[in-house]
Amino acid sequence: MNRDSLNINALKETARRIRVQDLKTVFGAGAGHIGGEMSAIDILTTLYFHVLRVYPDAPDHPERDRFVLSKGHTACALYVTLAEKGFIDPAELETFLAPHSRLNGHPNCTKVPGVETNTGPLGHGLPVAVGMAKAAQLDGASWRTYVLTGDGELQEGSNWEAAMAAAQFGLDNLTVIVDHNRLQQGARLAETNNLAPLADKFEAFGWTVREVDGHDIAALADVLDSSGIESGKPSCVIAHTNKGQGISFMQDRVEWHHKVPSREQFEQALAELEGAA
């Protein structure tokens, strides 16, 4: 696959820029799911700037890899990543959530180049991704499908129906990444419907499972490399992350699932992100 050369420092700097822009975009719009966006940005950066075979000048290229953001409420992080990659004009980010903007609170594939499917209702992304991967398998195509889910989202039973189907079909062209930040809207995962042991569950459903620090870009790049794929099995990468990563007062705090910083908090967060090495 034609991928950018692996430069960990460059990827870290890209992730830092995306975090800064995400913060500015959410603050400017007065709404957003900033906590879960910060937990996912290192994953999105590694995918779009090292792993995915995508073509910003030809978003519908038939040989592109497919990426599905199943946790669609973190759309802002995806939009910022797409802008950084060149799919959309960075200036358009100022319209996030504005009336008539195509940058809605959940991604829309009919409006935004680089978005593969509409997501938002939790538990839909993985089933759609299974269909994409099955289509590629039937066509003998070389492109892969990647899907990013939240961990709380995996409480939806539709995911496990999809997981069974993926194993049954031997979809080794499918990778699911779980943003395992241990928090969901209003509570910790363990307090609602605990999924532990998550790795054992996916393995029992016939998947190859690997676990990784979801903020270690070098480790993410290694674990998401297709050379680690097991023939005949779909792959699950459990990325251990922190909600609000990079911003001290947001990190691992459940109230930052859907909340906008005050001006004082915005300035503190901006200083922390801009000063990050």
Side-chain angles (χ1 to χ4, degrees):
M1 298 174 66
N2 295 322
R3 295 175 179 171
D4 298 336
S5 298
L6 180 59
N7 183 323
I8 297 303
N9 288 334
L11 289 172
K12 287 180 178 178
E13 172 58 20
T14 299
R16 188 194 66 80
R17 286 198 306 272
I18 291 172
R19 279 193 169 87
V20 168
Q21 186 58 61
D22 186 275
L23 170 68
K24 291 179 177 178
T25 303
V26 169
F27 182 72
H33 291 81
I34 194 167
E37 288 162 4
M38 294 295 157
S39 70
I41 283 172
D42 293 314
I43 300 167
L44 290 171
T45 299
T46 306
L47 284 168
Y48 275 91
F49 295 90
H50 176 63
V51 175
L52 295 176
R53 181 175 55 183
V54 291
Y55 309 89
D57 294 332
D60 296 324
H61 195 293
E63 295 179 7
R64 73 192 184 281
D65 290 330
R66 273 62 165 177
F67 172 72
V68 175
L69 180 68
S70 191
K71 46 179 284 181
H73 54 282
T74 58
C76 185
L78 178 60
Y79 299 149
V80 176
T81 303
L82 291 174
E84 181 77 19
K85 188 68 176 177
F87 281 91
I88 60 177
D89 185 344
E92 188 176 358
L93 295 171
E94 296 179 7
T95 74
F96 176 57
L97 298 181
H100 308 297
S101 171
R102 62 180 180 169
L103 303 185
N104 299 324
H106 296 90
N108 188 325
C109 66
T110 68
K111 296 181 178 181
V112 184
V115 173
E116 294 291 347
T117 189
N118 295 20
T119 53
L122 299 178
H124 287 196
L126 182 53
V128 171
V130 167
M132 292 175 174
K134 181 60 178 176
Q137 183 190 67
L138 290 170
D139 286 345
S142 62
W143 51 268
R144 296 188 56 80
T145 299
Y146 297 82
V147 54
L148 179 61
T149 74
D151 49 6
E153 176 183 6
L154 293 178
Q155 294 168 346
E156 298 281 358
S158 52
N159 291 296
W160 300 102
E161 294 177 30
M164 283 190 291
Q168 176 68 28
F169 296 142
L171 299 181
D172 52 13
N173 58 353
L174 173 66
T175 297
V176 61
I177 305 111
V178 180
D179 182 4
H180 195 13
N181 61 30
R182 308 170 307 284
L183 294 169
Q184 59 191 121
Q185 183 169 340
R188 292 191 171 273
L189 196 67
E191 297 169 355
T192 55
N193 188 0
N194 198 352
L195 294 168
L198 186 55
D200 291 352
K201 285 183 170 65
F202 270 98
E203 287 176 349
F205 275 68
W207 290 56
T208 296
V209 182
R210 289 170 289 175
E211 299 191 58
V212 67
D213 178 345
H215 301 304
D216 183 336
I217 286 180
L220 282 166
D222 181 63
V223 80
L224 289 170
D225 190 278
S226 59
S227 63
I229 301 302
E230 186 174 351
S231 178
K233 283 189 170 186
S235 294
C236 172
V237 173
I238 299 174
H240 295 275
T241 62
N242 295 307
K243 206 151 196 167
Q245 175 72 12
I247 302 173
S248 59
F249 60 87
M250 289 186 192
Q251 191 159 304
D252 200 37
R253 298 294 296 269
V254 68
E255 64 266 30
W256 285 99
H257 178 85
H258 187 271
K259 187 177 179 181
V260 178
S262 66
R263 168 61 68 175
E264 182 180 0
Q265 289 172 326
F266 168 76
E267 291 176 354
Q268 178 184 339
L270 187 61
E272 290 181 7
L273 293 175
E274 289 186 335

